[in-house]
Amino acid sequence: MQIHVTCPSCHAKFKVSEKFAGQTGPCPKCKKPIQIPEANQEVVIHAPEDEGAKNAEGVSTLKPLEREEIEASPVGIVLIIAICLVTVAATFFLGRMSGAEPISPWLVGAGALLLGPPIAVAGYGILRDHELEPYRGGPLWLRATICGFVYAILWAVYAYLKGGLLDGEVEMFHLVFIGPALLAAGGVAALATLELDYTSGVIHYGIYLLITCCLRWIAGMPLY
């Protein structure tokens, strides 16, 4: 029989024969003296007793909880692709129809509002914590609508800063200050509405910005 020993100085673990029980000797690693415990002093860890329901043979009848996985259905994937294609096509034709005339700010704002909820839902599906129970159905769309509304408001805030304070001229120097502030606000919005962690919330808002900026480019509008 062997005795399990842990050196109190270097925490090295090793085994010695029971004939050395109770004796003092040097640690094989750090060479400091250690006391070999008696064989009856070893700690034995027993598995916890299963107190749940059991069948006639004494086997537990309880089953472990299984986390429900949400998989996108083929119909849902096709629908999302169709919405994306229709949105891109509508944006393209809108930009061509307006010609040299700028697109109405009200129309741009309406587009930002309409795009918010579906982008928020799609981003939530990618960035949510998969260890937690997800939002579904009505509660998810309600939270996504609020989140998308805040995202659209942030575009309105940017438009106000651009037109009211910067006279329509936005330089990269301005974006160094405005961009992080908007990303921080968007991250807080996703954190509060969809319960994403803050970093994922910032990425979530970044996805919305990326998509809306791409649509602005397709429509012939300035990216910022």
Side-chain angles (χ1 to χ4, degrees), residues 154 175-186 198 205:
L154 292 177
L175 293 179
V176 171
F177 296 96
I178 298 175
L182 293 177
L183 285 172
Y198 182 71
Y205 177 58

Side-chain angles (χ1 to χ4, degrees), residues 133-156:
E133 186 71 16
Y135 290 108
R136 302 184 182 87
L140 172 58
W141 280 100
L142 175 60
R143 290 173 175 270
T145 299
I146 297 173
C147 183
F149 177 78
V150 175
Y151 287 177
I153 291 297
L154 292 177
W155 261 124

Side-chain angles (χ1 to χ4, degrees), residues 53-70:
K54 299 179 181 179
N55 58 18
E57 298 177 355
V59 179
S60 175
T61 58
L62 297 179
K63 296 182 179 180
L65 294 176
E66 296 182 359
R67 187 173 65 235
E68 182 178 355
E69 298 291 343
I70 299 178

Side-chain angles (χ1 to χ4, degrees), residues 42-125:
E42 286 192 289
V43 178
V44 179
I45 301 177
H46 299 278
E49 295 184 2
D50 187 359
E51 299 179 354
K54 299 179 181 179
N55 58 18
E57 298 177 355
V59 179
S60 175
T61 58
L62 297 179
K63 296 182 179 180
L65 294 176
E66 296 182 359
R67 187 173 65 235
E68 182 178 355
E69 298 291 343
I70 299 178
E71 297 182 356
S73 65
V75 176
I77 295 175
V78 171
L79 182 60
I80 291 174
I81 294 175
I83 292 175
C84 292
L85 293 176
V86 170
T87 302
V88 171
T91 303
F92 177 80
F93 285 112
L94 180 63
R96 296 302 175 269
M97 289 174 60
S98 63
E101 294 293 328
I103 300 176
S104 169
W106 294 104
L107 190 58
V108 174
L113 282 172
L114 291 174
L115 287 171
I119 294 176
V121 170
Y124 173 76

Side-chain angles (χ1 to χ4, degrees), residues 155-171:
W155 261 124
V157 171
Y158 172 78
Y160 170 76
L161 294 175
K162 177 181 178 180
L165 300 181
L166 302 176
D167 297 326
E169 297 294 332
V170 179
E171 304 292 341

